[in-house]
Amino acid sequence: MAMATALRSSPLVPQHRPRFPVSAVAPWLVMLLALAALSCSSPVAVAAGSPEVVELTLLANAQEKGAVCLDGSPPAYHLQRGFGSGKHSWIVNLEGGAWCNTTEDCSDRRMTDLGSSKFMKAIEFEGILSNKRSQNPYFYNWNKVDVRYCDGGSFAGDAEGKDRNGTKLFFRGLRIWEAVVDELMGKGLATAKQALLSGCSAGGLAALLHCDDFRARFPQEVPVKCLSDSGFFLDVKDLSGERFMRSIFSGVVHLQNVREVLPKDCIAEKEPIECFFPAELIKSISTPTFIRNSGYDSYQVGNVVAPGGSDPGQSWSRCKADIRNCTSTQIEAMNEFRKEFVEALKVAQCKSNWGLFIDSCFNHCQTPFRITWHSQISLRLGNKTIAEAVADWYVGGGHGVKEIDCEYPCINPTCSSQLDL
């Protein structure tokens, strides 16, 4: 199945949130998202601390800059102004939603909010974007921006194409990134006293791709850091011996022309496709970065370790739905994946100002949701929620915030509190 077709969001997942296939979603997350959706209330004053509906802002003069979505419509973002002590602090969050790696996939996406601003609406800020102190203790009063994802290439491409009907497709993720940040600089980002670039899934990969560029836009004395949640995708063999993730990234790299955003030292020695993977990207990033990921990332288990095409007998279907159903052989395969994952992170472990929060729960994105970012049932490492670990790393320079959970069947009890184990 083509990636763009496979990665349709569950009806329980709010439409502005990162998309990943239902088959890769652990049951506990579906339940939590359902509860989160049911608990959404009407927007009230910011002072009351409830989630606020943030309106859509279309990028000014987008067409003349060539900064457009797949269908040629202007890209968009949501801006919530900071207040109090956070008035001059900024978070810029890059949305996720997989990729389109063929013209057919991209043609399908152009008729959704992942490829056109015509389908985008106002959203509610949650998790790392929440304005409620109890849910977002460090960043709640910062200026917060959610940049909508409509290029299908992790904000990296700069090309054009045509679908089978001759309709033009615009692969302009890089121009979207540059034009949106330029507009935000004029709205106060340029005078930020501290800033954080974040993203999850395809947006987490985008945060790594643009991390040093974001840092370079500010005076050296301004603290600028990056956060990648569930964006560390591995180039590993699946059950059939194929490299599913490489086939997807290869299509994106060649279709969308992402070469400009790749580290120059990497592409001087390796093929561009290799340099699009985080294991190579982090070798070149000099900006302090925090990586939040599961060693058993539910998206990668379902689509990298055991994609549908590699499992014709569907022997992994029950395992991918609930890790408790996995056989010893399947657990062994997932532990081998985790081993390669931890090995790829050694570069980050050796950087003193970087942070790590690598849990062993069966999950994907965690930062965009109020329940998993910071709540009584959030997973914990070192007795800290993800929000607390990120805050300690941001304030403390990253020292001491490098947490890597044990491998299954060693069970982190806070995974159980989320109903996944």
Side-chain angles (χ1 to χ4, degrees), residues 10 18 37 46 74 104 116 143 154 180 190 193 198 200 210 220 267 320 325 327 333 341 358 385 411:
S10 160
V46 173
E104 291 78 13
S116 173
N143 294 279
S154 284
V180 169
K193 293 183 178 179
S198 67
C200 83
H210 294 296
Q220 196 57 42
I267 58 177
K320 290 190 289 186
N325 296 328
T327 66
F341 187 90
I358 311 301
T385 64
I411 298 176

Side-chain angles (χ1 to χ4, degrees), residues 292-329:
R292 201 308 304 178
N293 228 104
S294 169
Y296 302 98
D297 183 283
S298 56
Y299 169 79
Q300 295 197 64
V301 168
N303 294 274
V304 179
V305 178
S310 69
D311 183 30
Q314 298 299 304
S315 62
W316 274 74
S317 58
R318 294 181 70 246
C319 175
K320 290 190 289 186
D322 187 337
I323 199 171
R324 291 171 296 186
N325 296 328
C326 298
T327 66
S328 59
T329 301

Side-chain angles (χ1 to χ4, degrees), residues 56-59 69 74-78 117 120 146-148 150 180:
L56 189 74
T57 299
L58 296 177
L59 184 68
C69 297
Y77 60 89
H78 306 263
S117 59
M120 297 176 186
D146 190 55
V147 184
R148 300 299 292 267
C150 66
V180 169

Side-chain angles (χ1 to χ4, degrees), residues 227-264:
L227 165 62
S228 175
D229 176 17
S230 301
F232 205 95
F233 299 94
L234 291 191
D235 180 19
V236 297
K237 292 181 180 179
D238 61 28
L239 299 176
S240 65
E242 299 297 322
R243 294 179 181 269
F244 180 77
M245 208 69 225
R246 176 176 281 253
S247 69
I248 297 303
F249 278 7
S250 178
V252 174
V253 166
H254 293 104
L255 179 69
Q256 301 213 24
N257 182 29
V258 306
R259 190 180 182 91
E260 183 63 28
V261 304
L262 301 178
K264 300 299 184 289

